[in-house]
Amino acid sequence: MDTNVQKRRENKKSLRVKVISLGNAEVGKSCIIKRYCEKRFVPKYLATIGIDYGVTKVQVRDREIKVNIFDMAGHPFFYEVRNEFYKDSQGVILVYDVGLRESFDALDSWLAEMKQEMGSQANMESIVFVVCANKVDLTKRRVVDESEGRLWAESRGFHYFETSAQSGEGISEMFQAFFSAITDMCENGGKRPTPEVSVGFTKEQADTIRRIRNSKDSWDMLGVKPGATREEVNKAYRKLAVLLHPDKCVAPGSEDAFKAVVNARTSLLKNIK
Ligand code: GTP
Ligand code: MG
């Protein structure tokens, strides 16, 4: 065969990608990568200093993928070191610890930091995101449940996996899905092929459920000021009912959120003349 033709075919089959890991310090980013690449777990915490770099090769269908992994330090102290590594990533592994709510709440600020560092030409649609709800082996200390994590991820068109770097649960499934989605994206001209609508609910519904779960009282839940009138309470209730009615909304947790809204309205109306 003509060597140029052969070379072109080989080039089409091999692919080089860059992925990064993000999330608060100590959530298990390095351990997830170590579990996948070295099939082992280290219980002692060794904080990543700035950034760790590694290369691995994976096979997706007929393509060999060379993956450059940049494992970021989660500690705020290393911001200056990691900020230049965001650019040109095709994949992001977002990690939180299911036993630490602040690490879950921090996911939004990790996305914000990434957007800011990528600058104005940032195109988040050309990046595959996978969310790891990590340390699921520590069941007793779990505070962020699956539906909450899945909702946050899937409402943004991100993949969601429950993982444990300690037991290995979910790790190879997560990486397989991640690399396969990155390959699909590259073959799809750089556009992420998982549209938001495919999950069957909107980001507004997902964000509303999250807000309801985290609300501090019934006023807050309905999104009205304390002391609001019956009309204001009813108006806010109707808006939420349309958005979250179980016949209309398939987002995980919508049924509980709907019930909570009904109860909040009932208790508020009891006390308003
Ligand atoms: P930084 O590098 O500081 O950003 O932290 P990191 O996110 O890379 O955390 P690392 O992987 O170093 O893990 C932090 C601690 O959590 C270590 O003591 C790990 O042994 C432990 N750990 C990581 N994953 C798991 C897990 O799935 N289950 C349990 N039980 N412990 C874990
Ligand atoms: Mg680390």
Side-chain angles (χ1 to χ4, degrees), residues 30 48 71-72:
S30 303
T48 303
D71 176 25
M72 307 267 209

Side-chain angles (χ1 to χ4, degrees), residues 226-249:
T229 63
R230 292 182 82 85
E231 290 71 44
E232 284 166 334
V233 168
N234 281 327
K235 196 174 161 206
Y237 165 77
R238 277 195 298 274
K239 204 170 154 216
L240 289 170
V242 168
L243 195 66
L244 300 176
H245 196 283
D247 289 349
K248 300 253 170 56
C249 182

